[in-house]
Amino acid sequence: MLIKEFVKLGKENLAKEVEGFKRKPHLLIVQANENPASDAYIRGKIKDAEEIGAKATLLRFPVTITEDELVEAIQEANVNPEYDGIIVQLPLPRHISEAKIKITVSPEKDVDGFHPLGSFDPCTPKGIIDYLESEGFAFEGKNAVVLGRSEIVGKPMARLLLKRSCNVTVLHSKTSEQDKAFYIGHADLIVVAIGREGFLDTRFSYKPDAFVVDVGINRGEDGKLHGDAIPNLPVAKQTPVPGGVGLLTRFALMENLIRAYKKQ
Ligand code: NAP
């Protein structure tokens, strides 16, 4: 199924579920930046919440807010029963520690899945796993390559694939080109999340039945969005950019929000 259809269907199911709830699940979005890309992501999240019958509130602070003030605001939201889920939009101003803010959101409400003690999976890897499952990808014993080892994508992606008994190899900027070619050439699943436009191209060889998941979002010289892979690689399946992992990530956030509501 195309990702667009998978997400549309998933949202319709969530909306039906929410209809039976006593009150609307409520997402609090905390923003302390003046970043146009963040503004666009937030608009998307508010729209998604409305579409499934949930509520989203934006709490916006000036970029001059201190770390202590932001911590205090999040701690208040943690104990406010009105909010089921809390997310802090990144990036944060440089004087504020991202690591500290991530662990300030209570694990029960951390629907972004960033808290080490939380029970929610981070949205991008969760969305990818759910989609692969719906596509009938048989994880066990498959060779999975994850390109990129960031805290929000690469590392949790590798962890979730390992949980499903894939043979996981994580490649990064210090991996030699020769080793990249070797592992990519043997992979049944390639998740690429490095932020380099068209990095996966025809200089590598691929298993013809490989599944490529393209997480990258790169603004090209043409002003359009491009993935970390060139389109139409010689593989069985490849997710598009745009209209791919970005949609899965947004949907996974809504699923986490509904789970947080049910747990309250
Ligand atoms: P990040 O924090 O910048 O990390 C990039 C990772 O890629 C690092 O681990 C880096 O290795 C590795 N890397 C860089 N150049 C490489 C190369 N030439 N070969 C192999 N590895 C290389 O990135 P991120 O936050 O994970 O995001 C990655 C991409 O995904 C970006 O384009 C971002 O916009 C996109 N993204 C999309 C979504 C979505 O919902 N679609 C969500 C999150 C991110 P080192 O660790 O060695 O430096």
Side-chain angles (χ1 to χ4, degrees):
M1 199 190 301
L2 290 176
I3 288 180
K4 273 186 186 161
E5 287 167 15
F6 170 80
V7 168
K8 187 171 173 274
L9 207 69
K11 275 185 179 171
E12 284 167 7
N13 288 338
L14 283 186
K16 274 185 210 140
E17 202 181 343
V18 170
E19 268 176 28
F21 291 169
K22 285 198 188 111
R23 62 172 178 84
K24 287 181 172 211
H26 195 170
L27 174 69
L28 180 70
I29 305 169
V30 180
Q31 183 182 18
N33 68 32
E34 280 168 10
N35 183 319
S38 288
D39 293 343
Y41 288 137
I42 289 171
R43 280 195 300 274
K45 288 167 190 175
I46 293 173
K47 188 169 155 267
D48 290 338
E50 282 168 0
E51 275 176 23
I52 63 157
K55 191 174 161 188
T57 299
L58 174 62
L59 183 58
R60 192 167 185 165
F61 293 107
V63 291
T64 49
I65 188 170
T66 66
E67 188 176 274
D68 286 348
E69 285 166 341
L70 189 59
V71 164
E72 201 179 312
I74 294 169
Q75 282 169 342
E76 273 174 28
N78 282 341
V79 293
N80 187 338
E82 242 192 70
Y83 304 123
D84 302 290
I86 303 169
I87 60 173
V88 181
Q89 186 66 44
L90 301 177
L92 289 168
R94 294 182 90 178
H95 62 274
I96 298 180
S97 155
E98 213 174 277
K100 179 162 183 187
I101 295 303
K102 278 181 183 167
I103 55 162
T104 301
V105 176
S106 90
E108 291 78 29
K109 295 191 178 182
D110 170 37
V111 285
D112 255 339
F114 291 153
H115 198 295
L117 300 178
S119 67
F120 298 99
D121 288 328
C123 297
T124 300
K126 169 181 160 48
I128 292 171
I129 293 280
D130 292 347
Y131 179 63
L132 288 169
E133 258 164 13
S134 80
E135 285 291 278
F137 185 81
F139 294 91
E140 204 174 301
K142 290 280 164 38
N143 293 332
V145 163
V146 179
L147 278 135
R149 54 174 166 177
S150 70
E151 297 298 330
I152 62 163
V153 188
K155 280 184 196 159
M157 186 77 242
R159 180 172 54 81
L160 295 189
L161 289 169
L162 199 54
K163 208 168 144 187
R164 282 159 185 78
S165 299
C166 282
N167 315 318
V168 184
T169 309
V170 181
L171 311 179
H172 43 76
S173 71
K174 304 291 184 279
T175 311
S176 71
E177 291 301 299
Q178 199 185 353
D179 285 342
K180 277 179 202 159
F182 173 81
Y183 289 113
I184 289 168
H186 286 85
D188 303 299
L189 172 68
I190 304 168
V191 180
V192 61
I194 61 173
R196 303 274 182 276
E197 180 183 338
F199 177 83
L200 278 190
D201 61 12
T202 48
R203 77 183 185 286
F204 296 112
S205 57
Y206 303 87
K207 283 177 84 167
D209 60 348
F211 199 135
V212 172
V213 176
D214 192 348
V215 184
I217 301 177
N218 309 289
R219 179 76 61 187
E221 279 176 11
D222 56 5
K224 294 182 183 160
L225 294 183
H226 297 273
D228 285 349
I230 61 164
N232 304 315
L233 285 172
V235 293
K237 287 181 183 174
Q238 178 177 358
T239 65
V241 177
V245 174
L247 295 180
L248 296 176
T249 302
R250 282 169 59 174
F251 178 55
L253 176 68
M254 292 303 117
E255 289 201 307
N256 278 350
L257 174 67
I258 299 309
R259 234 186 89 208
Y261 169 90
K262 286 185 190 163
K263 279 178 144 196
Q264 283 246 355

